[in-house]
Amino acid sequence: MKILFAASEALPFIASGGLADVAGSLPKAIRAEQHVCRVVLPLYSDIDPRLREGMSFVCNFNVPLAWRNQYCGVFTAKVDGVQFYLLDNEYYFKRRGIYGFFDDGERFAFFAKACLEMLQYIDFEPDLIHANDWQTALIPVFLNAFYRHIPRYSELKTVLTIHNIQYQGKYDERVSADVLGLPEEQRRLVEYDGCTNYLKGGICAADAVTTVSPTYSREIMDPWYAYGLDGILRQNSFKLTGILNGIDVAGYNPATDPVIAQNYSLEDISLREENRRELADQVGLPLGENTMLIGIVSRLVAQKGMDLIRYILPRMLAEHRDLAVAMVGSGDREYEEFFAEMRRRFPGQMGFVQGFIPPLARKIYAGCDVFLMPSRSEPCGLAQMVACRYGAVPVVRQTGGLKDSIVDFDTPGGGNGYTFYSYNADDMLGAILRAKAAFDDREGWQEKIAAVMACDFSWERSAGEYLKLYRKLL
């Protein structure tokens, strides 16, 4: 099979979140199964110049977008055997940052149209295009509206993956005509609730729709999770599938990670203790022998459960002196200020570093005893999988991909973490204290570390599920 994977970000070129991890890892895993998978993304000015040096020019053409006729240049590069196409238009992409501009609707409409237009000029004819999130959700819409009459597009199939339904690409309803240039009879696909909704159009037009975990695929048909699209998703439930993401187990490997203080593996777990000591020193925590270190690596927003932590943290630290927290993250100012205040109030128990600091995040994974993820909603989540890879026992709320990837140790048959169901701070604290009781049994705790490190969250498993879906469509 030949697949074109379209995304607005992809490692190693540019990243703002989990989508980049997926776009950098899934195509590589598909290629390992002897299929062809190439990736297309915008050529942003923020891409590292050293990566640009490895690119070569392929061709250029013009992209018709309503009344516009915009230049597009195609550059290519190979990373780990996967070929990437990077689409150049300086008007849209020569800016600092990826998202958050007034004309994002036009920028990514151009990108979606350019992905299709490009297929007439390059030496690659995919069987299927795999689009991701609202930024590329217009690909199946444009394909059906403008390209089906061309032979090389007539049998082309489309898959759309929803990584987070909160972000839909919603714009003024006039955009469907003035920016997208859709014929009048096609505009109903993208028009919804008084506006133009890119994700809604992609859901309706794609041959298959996936989410990044089985539980999330069910949750988003509930108004609580769907941000207004639950009715559309129920209407299209026949083509909706949930496939749990994986992680790059070669990139996240405590045996070879150059960032952490001491490398270790499942065969020599005792070496992990050195990372615990080094992390405590770095964040200023004088750990006692019986102190359980809780790690948090997160965006500081309500969706990630920060309001639960804010509610319970002062009481938890005051009443349980044998608990400490090592935390890194940035986000809403109210949470940043709160955690800074907790650091001042509990200097021996609260280590908080504000910012997005990947090396420190790695050290938290490698050095904390438990890893806390109390998300209000979590389409998939990668952090809990990375935590397992590094031997940090997850404490998570049962939602989305957290529910699909972490099973409570206290369930029959065992598990790989501690979970709670209700979105309630005391229930979260209960799960933490159950973990602390297990932590106090040092021999049993080593067995739990071994159990979480033995979990298989590799992309090979996920890629197999995507390949089944591709075969079914083709």
Side-chain angles (χ1 to χ4, degrees):
M1 289 183 288
K2 294 180 291 183
I3 298 99
L4 180 65
F5 198 90
S8 57
E9 56 185 85
L11 288 172
F13 294 99
I14 195 86
S16 71
L19 171 58
D21 285 281
V22 176
S25 300
L26 178 55
K28 187 164 55 174
I30 291 172
R31 181 179 177 274
E33 297 296 323
Q34 308 304 312
H35 298 279
V36 180
C37 187
R38 299 184 182 181
V39 184
V40 58
L41 72 156
L43 181 60
Y44 301 103
S45 60
D46 277 1
I47 291 175
D48 192 316
R50 290 170 295 183
L51 291 171
R52 285 175 175 264
E53 290 174 4
M55 299 178 193
S56 58
F57 178 75
V58 177
C59 63
N60 67 276
F61 50 86
N62 281 10
V63 178
L65 190 67
W67 48 267
R68 302 161 192 79
N69 198 30
Q70 294 281 32
Y71 166 87
C72 180
V74 180
F75 290 79
T76 189
K78 272 198 174 184
V79 180
D80 294 332
V82 175
Q83 186 166 352
F84 288 78
Y85 297 107
L86 298 103
L87 305 190
D88 174 42
N89 179 292
E90 293 192 350
Y91 174 70
Y92 291 128
F93 302 126
K94 192 176 182 180
R95 311 178 185 190
R96 299 293 300 176
I98 307 177
Y99 315 121
F101 299 98
F102 75 96
D103 59 345
D104 275 359
E106 183 177 329
R107 295 171 70 227
F108 290 105
F110 164 81
F111 176 61
K113 194 80 175 290
C115 289
L116 290 164
E117 195 71 22
M118 173 185 72
L119 300 182
Q120 300 180 77
Y121 300 91
I122 62 174
D123 62 348
F124 182 57
E125 292 187 34
D127 304 307
L128 180 147
I129 298 181
H130 189 151
N132 292 270
D133 274 347
W134 73 265
Q135 294 92 346
T136 55
L138 290 173
I139 288 176
V141 176
F142 285 149
L143 173 63
N144 293 340
F146 300 116
Y147 294 91
R148 283 295 185 194
H149 67 284
I150 302 173
R152 71 170 56 198
Y153 297 89
S154 61
E155 301 297 324
L156 186 59
K157 301 296 183 182
T158 54
V159 174
L160 171 65
T161 294
I162 302 170
H163 296 262
N164 191 335
I165 201 167
Q166 181 176 352
Y167 307 105
Q168 299 177 7
K170 295 168 70 172
Y171 299 99
D172 188 282
E173 58 186 342
R174 291 171 293 184
V175 165
S176 61
D178 183 63
V179 175
L180 310 188
L182 290 172
E184 190 170 349
E185 65 275 9
Q186 298 277 353
R187 292 173 198 168
R188 60 178 180 80
L189 275 175
V190 297
E191 291 173 352
Y192 184 67
D193 198 24
C195 66
T196 298
N197 187 312
Y198 290 12
L199 188 62
K200 182 262 183 180
I203 292 169
C204 293
D207 295 304
V209 179
T210 73
T211 66
V212 289
S213 70
T215 295
Y216 193 59
S217 70
R218 296 186 293 272
E219 287 177 341
I220 59 175
M221 287 188 280
D222 184 307
W224 172 260
Y225 293 97
Y227 291 89
L229 284 180
D230 50 293
I232 297 298
L233 287 158
R234 287 193 297 271
Q235 292 170 17
N236 289 274
S237 61
F238 65 94
K239 59 181 177 182
L240 181 61
T241 308
I243 299 174
L244 187 68
N245 278 344
I247 59 172
D248 181 353
V249 293
Y252 292 113
N253 187 354
T256 58
D257 193 331
V259 173
I260 63 178
Q262 173 64 60
N263 293 120
Y264 60 96
S265 68
L266 189 57
E267 286 69 41
D268 49 20
I269 293 174
S270 61
L271 296 176
R272 191 176 187 275
E273 182 65 23
E274 178 58 29
N275 293 292
R276 187 172 182 270
R277 286 193 290 267
E278 198 266 352
L279 172 62
D281 288 343
Q282 183 163 351
V283 298
L285 296 176
L287 292 184
E289 182 179 348
N290 297 318
T291 301
M292 185 177 80
L293 183 55
I294 302 166
I296 302 172
V297 177
S298 180
R299 284 187 294 117
L300 307 184
V301 294
Q303 181 193 340
K304 296 296 183 179
M306 291 302 113
D307 45 346
L308 295 189
I309 298 175
R310 179 171 60 179
Y311 179 84
I312 209 72
L313 188 63
R315 173 156 61 95
M316 183 183 82
L317 296 180
E319 295 180 358
H320 301 276
R321 293 294 181 176
D322 52 2
L323 295 178
V325 176
M327 180 177 189
V328 63
S330 61
D332 293 346
R333 177 176 291 184
E334 60 178 306
Y335 296 119
E336 292 177 345
E337 292 176 348
F338 169 77
F339 291 120
E341 174 62 21
M342 289 297 98
R343 182 179 56 203
R344 289 188 288 270
R345 284 179 57 185
F346 300 94
Q349 291 177 275
M350 183 71 195
F352 169 60
V353 179
Q354 181 179 328
F356 174 67
I357 309 170
L360 179 56
R362 296 279 184 129
K363 292 178 180 181
I364 289 176
Y365 292 128
C368 68
D369 298 305
V370 303
F371 187 83
L372 181 60
M373 256 182 111
S375 303
R376 180 186 296 174
S377 66
E378 194 66 60
C380 175
L382 300 178
Q384 81 279 10
M385 301 181 192
V386 177
C388 286
R389 180 74 168 148
Y390 282 77
V393 174
V395 175
V396 305
R397 180 170 170 262
Q398 293 180 32
T399 184
L402 299 178
K403 182 178 179 180
D404 293 326
S405 57
I406 305 300
V407 177
D408 198 285
F409 272 124
D410 292 336
T411 57
N416 59 347
Y418 292 92
T419 69
F420 63 101
Y421 178 73
S422 299
Y423 193 68
N424 179 284
D426 285 289
D427 286 357
M428 178 185 74
L429 179 58
I432 292 171
L433 295 180
R434 284 193 294 119
K436 179 61 169 69
F439 174 80
D440 290 338
D441 173 11
R442 290 310 173 87
E443 186 175 336
W445 188 251
Q446 293 300 305
E447 293 174 359
K448 287 179 168 55
I449 293 175
V452 302
M453 290 186 71
C455 294
D456 178 16
F457 292 120
S458 65
W459 270 109
E460 283 73 15
R461 170 189 47 80
S462 303
E465 294 300 312
Y466 278 109
L467 289 170
K468 287 179 186 177
L469 175 64
Y470 298 161
R471 290 188 189 101
K472 181 180 177 182
L473 290 178
L474 295 173

